[in-house]
């Protein structure tokens, strides 16, 4: 398999410390900018002109500002919503297609299965092809397929279309690495938090919108609305999405897939993030799935409508996204992950103690889980995407696959524990899973070298500004040391030139140089040899 760019082993790069070394990050950014030396194409698919301000120009790259970041977030909202429109509509589906509830229950499963396939086989294309046409094509395909959902009268056709739409609804997972590429390093976490909050908002709005609309009109209106907003997203992306050349030229598609598997056994930071993401995602899914059982039974006995309104509490986490991102930008990502895990432990402790006794505790857990789970996910994503600038789509795909595995685990195990043993053992399960994430985090310190699996090195400083200042000071000191050594060599050369009066003095100089050369490296010895020859020539001229 051909080797991908930027994956050479280097223990000096502290990428596994969840704070990529500035020298490596800068090298990645420079590498990404210098691959193409000419302006990019002027048309999408060879047909549609790209707005001039969005065309790739290495001398005048597109500015990644708030408007572009919000566009990424809105696109994530209305594309990921495709996965969740169906969940509140299953009863209406059964009535419309004249089938049993069991038959329509396959629809959410097929959508999620398609999404998993898209994560595995389509998301990595972001590291192989130009992302602007890829994103436009995916958005157009999902919007067009949704037309079939709105008009079909066949359950089989509906299921097939749902599966295909799930495959194509990975646009947010391609936008997230693109945002990491475009955003300045000091704003990377903020940019990712806005895209992630848009994704979470899509999960919420899809369920609420579908449930409310279907309550008053036919469920088909939900999908007609989905068609409209997706074509609107397509227009937004066409007008706002900058064009950048493909990365990793010369690498094949199967080479990209192979490298994904290789990352899972060669990148300790990625493995650490996966081992944290799986149980953390399971906790999140376990809570929201079993919340219906909790609030529908004693002592609450709430109606379905009231239970659905608790999903709006998640809006607090979405609103906190900018603050979360700015906070993480100031910290080493490892420390933000630590704070989030400790806060989640406190949240699940409250859940274990009293979530089945007072509705105020339910609201506290909803808010705490949304905020701190989002903080954890943004910090882990920021750290992982800093590993290799040329492999961000693949790294993100691996992280999201672990997220998906956690969702499946949380739904299956959490529901079983709740229905068999009650809310307190289920809450204790969340607490145990979160305790495991804390253990995994402490296996590798915040500044552990990239390819070291377990250990603590480089201190415990958690503020990014202090770490960067220390790294800069070390580089300055190394540079000064190198300059000082060069100055001494020049001084020796001047003294030798001033004493060139005869063979005896030239011999003394040679003897001194011979002693010094024994202590030099091979490169230094070569430089000294060249200076010695120069001295001899000048000595001969003087004689």
């Amino acid at each position: 398999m051909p080797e991908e760019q930027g994956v050479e082993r280097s223990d000096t790069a502290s990428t596994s410390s969840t704070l990529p070394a500035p020298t490596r990050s800068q090298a990645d950014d420079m590498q990404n900018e210098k691959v193409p030396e000419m302006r990019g194409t002027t048309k999408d698919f060879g047909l549609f002109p790209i707005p001039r301000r969005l065309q790739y120009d290495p001398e005048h790259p597109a500015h990644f500002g708030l408007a572009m970041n919000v566009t990424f977030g809105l696109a994530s909202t209305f594309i990921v919503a495709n996965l969740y429109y169906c969940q509140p509509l299953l009863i209406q589906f059964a009535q419309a297609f004249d089938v049993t509830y069991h038959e329509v229950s396959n629809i959410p499963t097929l959508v999620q299965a398609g999404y998993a396939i898209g994560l595995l086989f389509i998301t990595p294309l972001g590291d192989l092809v130009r992302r602007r046409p890829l994103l436009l094509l995916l958005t157009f395909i999902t919007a067009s397929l949704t037309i079939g959902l709105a008009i079909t009268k066949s359950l089989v056709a509906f299921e097939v279309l749902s599966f295909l739409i799930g495959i194509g609804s990975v646009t947010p997972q391609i936008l997230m690495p693109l945002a990491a590429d475009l955003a300045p390093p000091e704003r990377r976490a903020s940019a990712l938090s806005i895209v992630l909050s848009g994704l979470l908002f899509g999960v919420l709005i899809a369920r609420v919108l579908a449930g409310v609309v279907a309550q008053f009109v036919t469920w088909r209106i939900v999908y007609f609305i989905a068609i409209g907003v997706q074509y609107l997203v397509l227009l937004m992306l066409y007008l706002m999405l900058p064009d950048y050349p493909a990365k990793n030229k010369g690498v094949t598609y199967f080479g990209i897939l192979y490298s994904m598997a290789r990352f899972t056994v060669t990148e300790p930071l990625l493995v650490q993030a996966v081992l944290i993401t799986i149980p953390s995602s399971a906790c999140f899914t376990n809570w929201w799935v079993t919340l219906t059982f909790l609030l529908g039974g004693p002592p609450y006995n709430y109606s379905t409508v009231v239970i659905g309104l608790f999903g709006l509490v998640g809006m607090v986490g979405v609103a906190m996204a900018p603050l979360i991102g700015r906070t993480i930008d100031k910290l080493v990502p490892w420390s933000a992950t630590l704070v989030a895990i400790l806060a989640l432990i406190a949240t699940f402790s409250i859940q274990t103690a009293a979530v089945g006794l007072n509705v105020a505790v339910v609201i506290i857990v909803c808010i705490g889980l949304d905020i701190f789970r989002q903080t954890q996910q943004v910090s882990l994503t920021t750290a992982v995407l800093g590993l290799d600038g040329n492999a961000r789509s693949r790294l993100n795909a691996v992280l999201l696959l672990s997220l998906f595995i956690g969702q499946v685990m949380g739904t299956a195990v959490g529901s079983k524990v709740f229905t068999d043993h009650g809310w307190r053992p289920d809450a204790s399960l969340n607490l145990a899973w979160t305790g495991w994430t804390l253990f995994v985090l402490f296996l590798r310190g915040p500044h552990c070298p990239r390819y070291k699996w377990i250990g603590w090195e480089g201190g415990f400083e958690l503020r990014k500004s202090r770490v960067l200042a220390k790294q800069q000071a070390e580089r300055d000191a190394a540079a000064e040391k190198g300059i000082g050594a060069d100055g001494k060599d020049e001084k020796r050369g001047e003294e030798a030139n001033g004493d060139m009066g005869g063979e005896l003095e030239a011999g003394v100089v040679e003897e001194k140089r011979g002693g010094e050369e024994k202590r030099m490296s091979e490169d230094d010895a070569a430089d000294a040899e060249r200076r010695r020859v120069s001295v001899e020539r000048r000595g001969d001229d003087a004689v």
Side-chain angles (χ1 to χ4, degrees):
M1 293 290 179
E3 286 292 322
E4 291 76 19
Q5 299 178 10
V7 295
E8 67 278 1
R9 299 177 67 89
S10 174
D11 287 339
T12 59
S14 61
T15 43
S16 66
S17 65
T18 70
L19 177 63
T23 52
R24 180 59 179 270
S25 177
Q26 293 167 0
D28 285 342
D29 292 341
M30 291 173 62
Q31 187 178 19
N32 292 339
E33 294 174 0
K34 291 182 179 180
V35 168
E37 297 179 356
M38 302 176 63
R39 291 179 62 90
T41 182
T42 60
K43 292 185 178 181
D44 287 321
F45 311 107
L47 298 173
F48 306 104
I50 302 174
R52 186 170 182 81
R53 60 186 175 82
L54 299 177
Q55 296 176 14
Y56 178 71
D57 184 352
E59 297 181 357
H60 303 91
H63 172 65
F64 184 79
L66 181 60
M68 190 181 297
N69 204 169
V70 172
T71 299
F72 284 19
L74 290 175
S76 299
T77 296
F78 294 111
I79 297 300
V80 79
N82 290 331
L83 306 175
Y84 300 97
Y85 287 129
C86 63
Q87 293 184 1
L89 304 176
L90 296 180
I91 295 177
Q92 288 88 340
F93 290 159
Q95 295 171 350
F97 296 120
D98 193 24
V99 295
T100 65
Y101 293 159
H102 176 71
E103 290 177 279
V104 297
S105 65
N106 294 327
I107 295 174
T109 304
L110 288 169
V111 174
Q112 295 295 331
Y115 183 63
I117 291 174
L119 287 177
L120 183 60
F121 295 106
I122 294 182
T123 301
L125 288 173
D127 287 335
L128 190 62
V129 301
R130 288 170 51 223
R131 285 167 285 187
R132 176 182 165 92
L134 175 63
L135 289 165
L136 294 177
L137 180 62
L138 288 174
T139 305
F140 175 77
I141 289 174
T142 56
S144 301
L145 290 175
T146 307
I147 297 175
L149 294 182
I151 63 176
T152 185
K153 295 182 180 180
S154 167
L155 176 62
V156 174
F158 194 96
E159 291 176 336
V160 172
L161 289 171
S162 296
F163 177 74
L164 296 176
I165 289 173
I167 294 176
S169 296
V170 294
T171 296
Q173 314 312 336
I174 300 174
L175 285 171
M176 196 171 295
L178 179 59
D181 283 346
L182 299 179
E186 66 275 7
R187 286 191 55 242
R188 187 168 292 157
S190 298
L192 291 175
S193 68
I194 291 177
V195 179
L196 182 61
S197 65
L199 192 149
L200 296 176
F201 184 55
V203 176
L204 296 175
I205 196 174
R207 291 168 174 164
V208 174
L209 177 67
V212 172
V213 172
Q215 188 75 22
F216 299 99
V217 293
T218 175
W219 60 267
R220 297 183 186 275
I221 300 298
V222 174
Y223 287 101
F224 281 118
I225 295 174
I227 295 167
V229 296
Q230 286 182 87
Y231 279 120
L232 180 60
V233 166
L234 179 63
L235 178 62
M236 289 171 53
L237 292 178
Y238 176 80
L239 296 176
M240 295 295 295
L241 189 62
D243 185 39
Y244 274 81
K247 299 191 292 184
N248 302 297
K249 291 184 177 180
V251 180
T252 65
Y253 177 67
F254 292 104
I256 290 286
L257 296 180
Y258 169 76
S259 67
M260 286 178 60
R262 187 179 61 194
F263 284 146
T264 61
V265 295
T266 60
E267 293 289 353
L269 174 59
L270 177 62
V271 174
Q272 183 187 40
V274 166
L275 293 178
I276 292 175
T277 297
I278 291 176
S280 184
S281 174
C283 291
F284 185 85
T285 307
N286 179 24
W287 165 255
W288 287 107
V289 169
T290 60
L291 183 63
T292 301
F293 305 145
L294 176 67
L295 296 178
Y300 303 115
N301 299 309
Y302 291 151
S303 66
T304 304
V305 175
V306 175
I307 294 173
L309 293 176
F310 274 84
L312 297 177
V313 178
M315 291 294 295
V316 176
V318 175
M320 292 288 288
L323 178 60
I324 292 172
R326 285 196 295 267
T327 301
I328 295 174
D329 277 329
K330 296 178 181 178
L331 298 172
V332 176
W334 188 95
S335 60
T337 305
L338 174 62
V339 171
I341 291 177
L342 293 177
L344 287 171
I345 288 176
T347 299
F348 291 132
S349 297
I350 296 173
Q351 178 193 3
T352 304
V355 76
L357 305 177
N358 193 303
V359 71
V361 176
V362 177
I363 296 175
I364 291 173
V365 174
C366 285
I367 295 175
L369 181 59
D370 277 345
I371 293 176
F372 299 118
R373 173 69 187 111
Q374 184 177 356
T375 301
Q376 183 187 65
Q377 190 63 34
V378 172
S379 61
L380 289 173
T381 303
T382 302
V384 168
L385 296 187
L387 281 172
D388 189 341
N390 286 325
R392 283 179 175 145
S393 291
R394 285 166 284 169
L395 293 168
N396 189 56
V398 173
L399 196 59
L400 288 168
L401 285 172
S402 68
L403 186 76
F404 186 82
I405 293 171
Q407 291 175 348
V408 174
M409 184 172 76
T411 300
V413 179
S415 299
K416 178 69 173 177
V417 172
F418 189 98
T419 54
D420 289 353
H421 304 285
W423 61 266
R424 184 161 280 147
D426 184 59
S428 300
L429 176 64
N430 286 342
L431 191 59
W433 277 338
T434 308
W436 163 257
T437 65
L438 184 64
F439 171 75
V440 173
L441 183 69
F442 274 106
L443 288 177
R444 303 185 73 255
H447 310 294
C448 188
R450 176 172 179 176
Y451 292 106
K452 188 169 184 177
W453 288 92
I454 298 176
W456 285 69
E457 294 182 18
F460 196 70
E461 179 58 57
L462 302 181
R463 287 167 293 183
K464 184 182 292 185
S465 59
R466 294 286 184 89
V467 175
L468 294 179
K470 180 180 178 181
Q471 291 175 343
Q472 184 62 43
E474 291 175 352
R475 289 195 298 272
D476 292 343
E480 290 177 359
K481 184 177 180 181
I483 293 173
D486 292 342
K488 291 180 180 179
D489 289 340
E490 292 177 1
K491 185 175 180 180
R492 294 190 189 103
E494 291 174 357
E495 291 176 351
N497 290 337
D499 291 337
M500 287 184 300
E503 295 180 355
L504 178 59
E505 292 179 349
V508 171
V509 172
E510 290 176 4
E511 182 179 353
K512 291 181 179 179
R513 290 190 179 277
E516 292 172 354
E517 288 173 1
K518 293 179 181 179
R519 298 188 298 270
M520 292 181 179
S521 64
E522 293 182 358
D523 291 340
D524 292 339
D527 291 339
E529 179 65 19
R530 285 193 293 271
R531 285 193 295 270
R532 186 184 64 78
V533 172
S534 177
V535 169
E536 288 181 349
R537 288 177 178 175
R538 291 170 184 164
D540 292 340
D541 291 343
V543 172

